[in-house]
Amino acid sequence: MAVVKACKILITGANRGLGLEIVKQLSENSFPKQHIFATCRDPDGPKSEALRELVKKHPSAITIIRLDANDPSSVKESAKKVGSLLGNNGLNLLVNNAGIVANGTIQTTTVEDMKNTFNTNVIGPLLIIREYLPYLQMAAKASGTPGMSSNKAAVINISSVAGSMTRMPSIYKHFPTLPYGVSKAGFNMLTVLAAEEFKADEILCMALHPGWVKTELGGDDATLESKESVAGMLRVIANLTEMQHGGFLDYTGETVTW
């Protein structure tokens, strides 16, 4: 099985759900010299207890960093903190996983839900990518190898079929999550345009759908356990090349239509 060999990895929304499982699986199969920066809104709060327990098991492999995707100053501070710990080889892998879901239709969605969902799911990742870009560029240059890969320098945006223009209409009546779908469609466009900008730096950028997963966000009716989803996503991430740059795949490696 392919292994994610990126040395320096940052994961947002790492205190629960998919983010926590990504940190768990990476730390259990830790590649030598690999270090994970696990970010969350409230590192000392009750919702981060599982992450803190994980750090106790792997103290040399994980550092918890405060990062609230909804707070630009928090994003800036996190980048300064991580930058001071990275060294000269930069950040190899940024996983934009933090996100929120809001239900609603054209008739029921509130302005507040639209603003909050868009701030967290689109503006937050935009600011995170911008603040961490210098460290990704540093890693790309330090690698000394041509081409693109997740081990060199990459941005992986954890998206959803809810953001797919072709897939969402057929499932909308079962999942009336207009704010979430609209924000994920924006997130997908952010991915495509970031990929366009990052070509010259050879920083890989793509969107990844984890499947419908049994998490706080996915709900109890979901069909997939987080362990299986994350194992699949890590296999996909480990095998990425420039061929998938700007693409949209699911956790099995299948292409998702935009």
Side-chain angles (χ1 to χ4, degrees):
M1 185 183 99
V3 176
V4 175
K5 297 179 180 178
C7 287
K8 299 294 189 294
I9 302 169
L10 186 136
I11 300 153
T12 67
N15 63 313
R16 64 188 177 103
L18 291 174
L20 181 64
E21 184 64 27
I22 292 171
V23 176
K24 184 171 181 283
Q25 291 193 27
L26 283 173
S27 59
E28 286 174 351
N29 302 296
S30 187
F31 187 70
K33 297 183 180 179
Q34 191 170 81
H35 195 85
I36 304 158
F37 297 98
T39 80
C40 58
R41 281 186 200 169
D42 185 10
D44 300 319
K47 290 185 178 180
S48 300
E49 185 177 353
L51 179 58
R52 293 194 298 271
E53 288 299 314
L54 200 53
V55 173
K56 288 179 184 177
K57 291 181 183 178
H58 308 280
S60 63
I62 309 168
T63 300
I64 301 178
I65 301 288
R66 182 184 180 275
L67 191 164
D68 182 351
N70 221 354
D71 179 358
S73 62
S74 168
V75 175
K76 276 186 178 290
E77 285 302 312
S78 75
K80 286 180 184 176
K81 177 68 173 176
V82 172
S84 71
L85 300 171
L86 279 174
N88 296 325
N89 291 323
L91 180 68
N92 303 104
L93 181 59
L94 167 60
V95 181
N96 268 317
N97 166 72
I100 60 171
V101 170
N103 295 323
T105 64
I106 291 290
Q107 297 178 67
T108 63
T109 294
T110 66
V111 171
E112 185 180 11
D113 276 347
M114 285 301 292
K115 285 181 177 179
N116 288 341
T117 309
F118 202 82
N119 280 340
T120 301
N121 294 356
V122 185
I123 298 174
L126 167 63
L127 297 178
I128 290 164
I129 292 170
R130 182 187 295 167
E131 292 297 329
Y132 283 91
L133 181 56
Y135 306 124
L136 290 161
Q137 291 170 325
M138 192 183 298
K141 288 179 181 176
S143 74
T145 57
M148 296 183 185
S149 79
S150 61
N151 303 327
K152 177 180 176 177
V155 176
I156 308 299
N157 289 331
I158 306 301
S159 188
S160 169
V161 292
S164 167
M165 302 285 185
T166 53
R167 296 280 291 276
M168 186 54 172
S170 64
I171 60 176
Y172 183 51
K173 66 179 178 180
H174 304 292
F175 301 98
T177 54
L178 184 142
Y180 181 68
V182 171
S183 71
K184 285 298 184 181
F187 191 35
N188 286 347
M189 180 61 83
L190 175 65
T191 303
V192 169
L193 299 183
E196 191 64 26
E197 286 194 33
F198 296 166
K199 280 180 184 176
D201 289 317
E202 294 189 337
I203 297 170
L204 194 153
C205 184
M206 56 84 68
L208 190 55
H209 169 54
W212 185 22
V213 190
K214 292 179 181 177
T215 62
E216 188 179 325
L217 189 146
D220 295 333
D221 293 332
T223 55
L224 199 60
E225 296 292 340
S226 58
K227 187 174 181 180
E228 182 184 353
S229 169
V230 168
M233 288 196 291
L234 291 178
R235 277 193 296 272
V236 172
I237 291 169
N239 287 296
L240 292 173
T241 69
E242 52 266 34
M243 295 292 290
Q244 291 81 40
H245 182 61
F248 190 7
L249 304 179
D250 71 10
Y251 73 102
T252 70
E254 291 296 312
T255 296
V256 180
T257 52
W258 295 110

